[in-house]
Amino acid sequence: MASSWVPDMDPASDFSLANIPFGIISTTADPAPHAAVAIGSFVLDLKVLSANVDLSQIFPGIDGLAEAFSQPTLNAFAQMGRAVHRRVRSALQDLLSKKTAHPAVLRDNAALRSQALLPQSAVRMHLPMAIGDYTDFYAGYHHAYAVGVMFRGPENALQPNYLHLPVGYHGRASSVVVSGTPIRRPVGQILPDPAAEPKRPVTAPSRKLDIELELGCFIARGNHMGDAIPVGDAEEHIFGYVLLNDWSARDVQTWEYVPLGPFNGKNFATTISPWVVLADALEPFRTRGIENATELQGYLKEPREERVFDVRLEVDLTTAEGTTTTIGRTSSRHLIWSFPQMIAHHTLGGCPLRPGDLLGSGTISGPGGVDERGSLLEMTENGKKEVQLAGMDARTFLKDGDTITLRGFCGEEGARVGFGECRGKIYSAVQR
Amino acid sequence: MASSWVPDMDPASDFSLANIPFGIISTTADPAPHAAVAIGSFVLDLKVLSANVDLSQIFPGIDGLAEAFSQPTLNAFAQMGRAVHRRVRSALQDLLSKKTAHPAVLRDNAALRSQALLPQSAVRMHLPMAIGDYTDFYAGYHHAYAVGVMFRGPENALQPNYLHLPVGYHGRASSVVVSGTPIRRPVGQILPDPAAEPKRPVTAPSRKLDIELELGCFIARGNHMGDAIPVGDAEEHIFGYVLLNDWSARDVQTWEYVPLGPFNGKNFATTISPWVVLADALEPFRTRGIENATELQGYLKEPREERVFDVRLEVDLTTAEGTTTTIGRTSSRHLIWSFPQMIAHHTLGGCPLRPGDLLGSGTISGPGGVDERGSLLEMTENGKKEVQLAGMDARTFLKDGDTITLRGFCGEEGARVGFGECRGKIYSAVQR
């Protein structure tokens, strides 16, 4: 991999020249949200670049980029399709590399650099996409199995449909927020004593506030209602990936979810990381997913074996006192369904996907001990055991003042393809 | 009620002067979708009106209406709030009544009438709102009870949570379409023999394509994330109502829905009627809902007793041969939860609602015989019995070529407040 002329490139940075993730920023000079890419500890402001450079020279044959980069979301750019994303990323990699073919454009243009290349600390990040619909799947095999064992025992851990189709549900698009947005502990209807008859629910702040470590996938191009996206074509419909924390109030969820699924236990907040790692940037990190011995329906049969990505994932819990403990380490290879399979299933009946739609993988846990789990539900066996934290502290579920930070990256030092942070701090509930 | 100068006012029309529902039309003269109201068999084009009339004279003190009426959705108008909707509807009622205070504006202005007052048959209807999120509740008590008896017997017909909270799930906003849009029979994963082990699903067109007769509610103003909407304030957040047919593939739903709820069994299509009947137009038709003897949580206690509306509802099935049978007749009074209760519950944990969000009531059935049911699932006891149609025909579930038309209205002849049609025709599946 070539190296970049951008200053202070840290080999441990998620945003090496091999990455070039897209996001939406606002700046002191231009408070209207617009597009940028991350490189090292800087961002390249694509709106400023568009205003000062002849884009047809850097991105020959691609129309409409300047307008797309001025939008408050990446939807217009996403909709241009994967071939365009590939060429734009490649051209930006060239522009930012030491041996760029266009040194005069940016590398040797101090005036433009001072406007367009800004420290990440100087910009504000926004939600990268306007999300039409958000769907959350349940493709983390070890998570589904562990939760199933907890509630139904090892014989019936997986529901009969689990290995036949990617189980998922419709989430709440309006509650998806960008990393850093404060998370208010939800009030909900809760059953303090589930065994008592008659049932006596109370309305109270959730006592079982949890996280879900997931990978999120943004749709680039959609499909018309009534059409399906074949599994072999699904890659062309993917824009890129983010980290996703599907905050969950387990006590609310337990009481409400039969028979129609999770509702208030989920719809108070879902946090995503701000930089969309393009699908092409993850291509070198493909690996086999979990093998599914079930004879799959034809529409779910993937042409390739390396169906998922090996993104190393970490969950940090930082207490109000400022002590940080990494409570979980796993990988996105622990998925039994790939995103192309999820897309093929989602559209099988003709459901229209639109640019900017978000798919969650479901909670990702490893097969090992409690330190490989993507939820406190699993780490603590639904509150029965404590997770030990640095400083002699411990948790079953989240306390007010806790901050959860998800991190994820692929690749070696100096050429990492990472996601940055997906972070949220818990604020105390408002009593209703 | 005053009478209107608009020609050919049929006393049986849903769109009397007491109604004035809002919709989005396009016309030969102006193919860009924009706002209108329905009156008798005509529409009043509000964009044409805005372009030709000093709106400050008709709607004094309300800014931004001309711009709102030029938009391709009613979201901007909805967001103006209920007080504005009330004044605008009232002013339009005056403008369209024989004794209007402004006869010169429209009644006696033949030139403007010829441009602005168009036969409904001459305009095309569009989806009235940009729907951010669609939530479907389950508040039809007799439906929930009947379906529960079918699957779990009379002792366990209602789940333990049913009488404590308005059960609901997140639906698929991208699949909501306006009346008249063709409905493609979905292909899905189905279990032909649910009792056989091991499970052997197939991928096939749904053999149990069903309807769900519902009332839909559009949100006017939303809430900030983290805030709740108290039940007593919820009315101010409601824009208006439509008929809603939540098409359902029962065989797909049965196999997929455990544990996360309905997904592909629902997300292929939901049809709504095109005219939004404003909340104020339904006010005179309030009635008590079904009494709930459960001690409710404080946030669900409604200040008033007349919590729901008595909209008379009908379901017509028209065969490919053109024979129509009314297969169901019921009323929206058969809801155990009101829309304000649904809104209070939806936002209890801080979930943000946005202008244009759509809430479905859940299937509405009456307490009587099969002819009061809002779904074929109930009418046929899940396919065990046939619904008899005119012409010696019969159905368990829908056949290709069938058209379902929902209708609904309140009030007496000459002053009806109705919804028009919510119609969809079934086209054969595309084999995957």
Side-chain angles (χ1 to χ4, degrees):
Chain A
M1 190 72 208
S3 58
S4 174
W5 53 258
V6 170
D8 309 325
M9 289 297 293
D10 180 346
S13 171
D14 281 345
F15 308 123
S16 75
L17 202 55
N19 193 350
I20 314 293
F22 284 69
I24 293 290
I25 65 167
S26 59
T27 65
T28 318
D30 186 355
H34 55 277
V37 292
I39 177 75
S41 57
F42 287 82
V43 306
L44 176 62
D45 185 324
L46 296 175
K47 187 177 173 186
V48 169
L49 188 76
S50 304
N52 289 277
V53 165
D54 175 10
L55 293 191
S56 68
Q57 197 194 341
I58 313 172
F59 310 110
I62 307 175
D63 292 333
L65 278 179
E67 202 192 325
F69 291 154
S70 304
Q71 302 288 314
T73 68
L74 296 171
N75 292 51
F77 178 58
Q79 198 162 4
M80 291 178 170
R82 186 122 172 213
V84 167
H85 311 151
R86 193 171 291 142
R87 285 159 60 198
V88 169
R89 172 168 167 267
S90 177
L92 289 170
Q93 284 176 319
D94 169 77
L95 203 63
L96 294 164
S97 74
K98 282 181 180 160
K99 296 182 178 166
T100 172
H102 302 94
V105 172
L106 195 61
R107 189 192 75 181
D108 302 342
N109 182 342
L112 181 54
R113 276 202 323 270
S114 71
Q115 279 185 271
L117 198 70
L118 307 166
Q120 275 180 39
S121 55
V123 305
R124 186 174 159 205
M125 302 304 302
H126 301 264
L127 209 56
M129 311 286 282
I131 301 166
D133 280 286
Y134 160 44
T135 301
D136 202 15
F137 285 91
Y138 196 47
Y141 175 83
H142 302 297
H143 168 76
Y145 186 81
V147 171
V149 168
M150 213 178 299
F151 293 117
R152 288 181 302 274
E155 272 79 53
N156 302 302
L158 297 176
Q159 299 286 356
N161 57 16
Y162 187 82
L163 296 171
H164 289 281
L165 58 85
V167 168
Y169 71 100
H170 302 120
R172 178 80 195 177
S174 73
S175 69
V176 180
V177 295
V178 73
S179 179
T181 305
I183 305 299
R184 180 72 66 184
R185 178 182 299 270
V187 167
Q189 206 179 115
I190 294 163
L191 213 53
D193 183 356
E197 293 290 347
K199 304 293 184 199
R200 296 213 179 279
V202 298
T203 303
S206 170
R207 292 170 175 80
K208 290 191 173 179
L209 184 55
D210 198 359
I211 57 163
E212 294 201 332
L213 168 63
E214 304 193 19
L215 205 58
C217 172
F218 275 115
I219 297 299
R221 280 181 174 163
N223 58 306
H224 291 291
M225 189 166 170
D227 291 347
I229 298 176
V231 69
D233 296 352
E235 276 293 336
E236 292 302 309
H237 292 262
I238 294 177
F239 179 47
Y241 299 90
V242 290
L243 301 175
L244 186 152
N245 184 353
D246 195 35
W247 305 94
S248 299
R250 299 297 180 192
D251 39 9
V252 174
Q253 188 181 346
T254 304
W255 173 228
E256 78 182 357
Y257 91 106
V258 175
L260 298 183
F263 188 58
N264 280 356
K266 300 279 192 177
N267 66 20
F268 59 96
T270 297
T271 303
I272 62 171
S273 55
W275 295 105
V276 182
V277 174
L278 295 192
D280 280 303
L282 284 185
E283 274 300 322
F285 308 103
R286 283 196 172 276
T287 185
R288 285 160 175 264
I290 292 174
E291 203 191 336
N292 188 345
T294 310
E295 173 63 24
L296 293 184
Q297 299 293 301
Y299 77 92
L300 291 171
K301 285 183 184 160
E302 271 214 80
R304 68 174 131 197
E305 293 192 335
E306 300 203 312
R307 297 181 299 120
V308 300
F309 303 108
D310 187 14
V311 182
R312 282 173 275 177
L313 299 166
E314 294 181 345
V315 183
D316 281 359
L317 191 156
T318 304
T319 64
E321 296 77 29
T323 309
T324 296
T325 311
T326 300
I327 58 173
R329 282 189 181 84
T330 184
S331 160
S332 66
R333 73 174 182 273
H334 298 304
L335 295 172
I336 196 161
W337 301 105
S338 68
F339 282 105
Q341 288 175 313
M342 298 179 217
I343 289 169
H345 182 68
H346 206 322
T347 61
L348 176 65
C351 176
L353 304 185
R354 297 177 292 192
D357 282 351
L358 176 62
L359 312 180
S361 63
T363 309
I364 302 172
S365 293
V370 292
D371 55 344
E372 290 188 20
R373 302 288 156 174
S375 71
L376 289 164
L377 177 68
E378 293 163 84
M379 295 179 195
T380 70
E381 294 183 17
N382 195 16
K384 290 199 192 76
K385 297 178 179 175
E386 286 191 324
V387 171
Q388 301 304 314
L389 305 181
M392 299 307 287
D393 209 345
R395 289 288 180 279
T396 48
F397 291 98
L398 296 175
K399 274 180 64 174
D400 292 348
D402 285 349
T403 298
I404 289 290
T405 306
L406 310 182
R407 279 173 289 114
F409 65 91
C410 308
E412 299 308 314
E413 293 225 332
R416 273 196 186 176
V417 174
F419 290 83
E421 288 186 350
C422 176
R423 186 171 40 80
K425 182 175 177 176
I426 306 301
Y427 290 79
S428 58
V430 180
Q431 189 59 56
R432 311 285 187 211
Chain B
M1 191 72 209
S3 58
S4 175
W5 52 259
V6 170
D8 310 323
M9 289 297 294
D10 180 347
S13 171
D14 281 345
F15 308 124
S16 76
L17 203 55
N19 194 351
I20 313 293
F22 283 69
I24 293 291
I25 64 167
S26 59
T27 64
T28 317
D30 186 354
H34 56 275
V37 292
I39 177 75
S41 57
F42 288 81
V43 306
L44 175 62
D45 185 323
L46 296 176
K47 187 176 175 188
V48 169
L49 188 77
S50 303
N52 289 278
V53 166
D54 176 11
L55 292 191
S56 69
Q57 196 194 342
I58 313 171
F59 311 111
I62 306 175
D63 292 333
L65 278 179
E67 202 192 325
F69 292 154
S70 303
Q71 302 287 316
T73 68
L74 296 171
N75 292 51
F77 177 59
Q79 199 162 5
M80 291 178 170
R82 185 122 173 212
V84 167
H85 310 152
R86 192 171 291 140
R87 286 160 60 200
V88 169
R89 171 168 168 267
S90 177
L92 288 170
Q93 283 174 319
D94 168 78
L95 203 63
L96 293 164
S97 73
K98 282 181 180 159
K99 294 181 179 168
T100 172
H102 302 94
V105 172
L106 195 61
R107 190 193 74 183
D108 303 341
N109 182 342
L112 182 55
R113 277 204 322 270
S114 71
Q115 279 185 272
L117 199 70
L118 308 165
Q120 276 180 38
S121 55
V123 306
R124 184 172 159 205
M125 301 304 301
H126 300 265
L127 209 56
M129 311 285 282
I131 301 166
D133 279 287
Y134 159 46
T135 301
D136 202 16
F137 285 91
Y138 197 48
Y141 175 84
H142 301 297
H143 168 76
Y145 186 82
V147 171
V149 168
M150 213 178 297
F151 292 117
R152 289 180 301 275
E155 272 79 52
N156 302 301
L158 297 177
Q159 300 286 355
N161 57 16
Y162 187 81
L163 296 171
H164 289 281
L165 58 85
V167 169
Y169 71 100
H170 303 121
R172 178 80 196 178
S174 72
S175 69
V176 181
V177 295
V178 73
S179 178
T181 305
I183 305 300
R184 180 72 64 184
R185 178 183 299 271
V187 168
Q189 207 181 113
I190 294 163
L191 213 53
D193 183 357
E197 291 292 347
K199 304 292 184 201
R200 297 214 179 277
V202 299
T203 303
S206 170
R207 292 171 174 80
K208 290 190 172 179
L209 184 55
D210 198 359
I211 58 164
E212 294 202 331
L213 167 64
E214 305 193 21
L215 204 58
C217 171
F218 275 114
I219 297 299
R221 281 180 173 165
N223 58 304
H224 291 291
M225 188 165 171
D227 291 347
I229 299 175
V231 68
D233 297 350
E235 276 293 336
E236 292 302 309
H237 293 263
I238 294 176
F239 179 47
Y241 299 90
V242 289
L243 301 176
L244 186 152
N245 183 353
D246 194 34
W247 305 94
S248 299
R250 300 296 180 194
D251 37 11
V252 175
Q253 189 181 345
T254 303
W255 173 227
E256 77 181 359
Y257 91 107
V258 175
L260 299 183
F263 189 58
N264 280 357
K266 299 279 193 176
N267 66 20
F268 60 96
T270 297
T271 303
I272 62 171
S273 54
W275 295 105
V276 181
V277 175
L278 295 191
D280 280 302
L282 283 185
E283 274 300 320
F285 308 102
R286 282 196 173 275
T287 185
R288 286 161 174 263
I290 292 173
E291 202 190 336
N292 187 346
T294 310
E295 173 63 24
L296 293 185
Q297 299 294 300
Y299 77 92
L300 291 171
K301 284 182 183 160
E302 270 214 81
R304 68 173 132 197
E305 293 192 335
E306 300 202 312
R307 299 181 297 119
V308 299
F309 302 107
D310 187 12
V311 181
R312 282 174 274 176
L313 298 167
E314 294 181 347
V315 183
D316 281 359
L317 191 156
T318 304
T319 64
E321 296 77 28
T323 309
T324 296
T325 311
T326 300
I327 58 173
R329 281 189 181 83
T330 183
S331 160
S332 65
R333 74 174 182 272
H334 297 304
L335 295 172
I336 196 160
W337 300 105
S338 69
F339 282 105
Q341 287 174 313
M342 297 180 216
I343 290 169
H345 182 68
H346 205 322
T347 61
L348 176 65
C351 177
L353 304 185
R354 297 178 291 192
D357 283 350
L358 176 62
L359 311 180
S361 63
T363 310
I364 302 171
S365 292
V370 292
D371 55 345
E372 290 189 20
R373 301 289 157 173
S375 70
L376 288 164
L377 177 69
E378 292 162 86
M379 294 179 195
T380 70
E381 294 183 16
N382 196 16
K384 289 199 192 75
K385 298 177 179 175
E386 286 191 324
V387 171
Q388 302 303 315
L389 304 181
M392 299 307 287
D393 208 346
R395 289 288 179 281
T396 49
F397 291 98
L398 296 176
K399 274 179 65 172
D400 293 347
D402 285 350
T403 298
I404 289 290
T405 306
L406 310 183
R407 279 172 289 112
F409 65 92
C410 308
E412 298 308 314
E413 293 224 333
R416 273 197 186 175
V417 174
F419 290 83
E421 288 186 350
C422 176
R423 185 171 39 81
K425 181 175 177 176
I426 305 301
Y427 289 80
S428 58
V430 179
Q431 189 60 54
R432 310 287 187 208

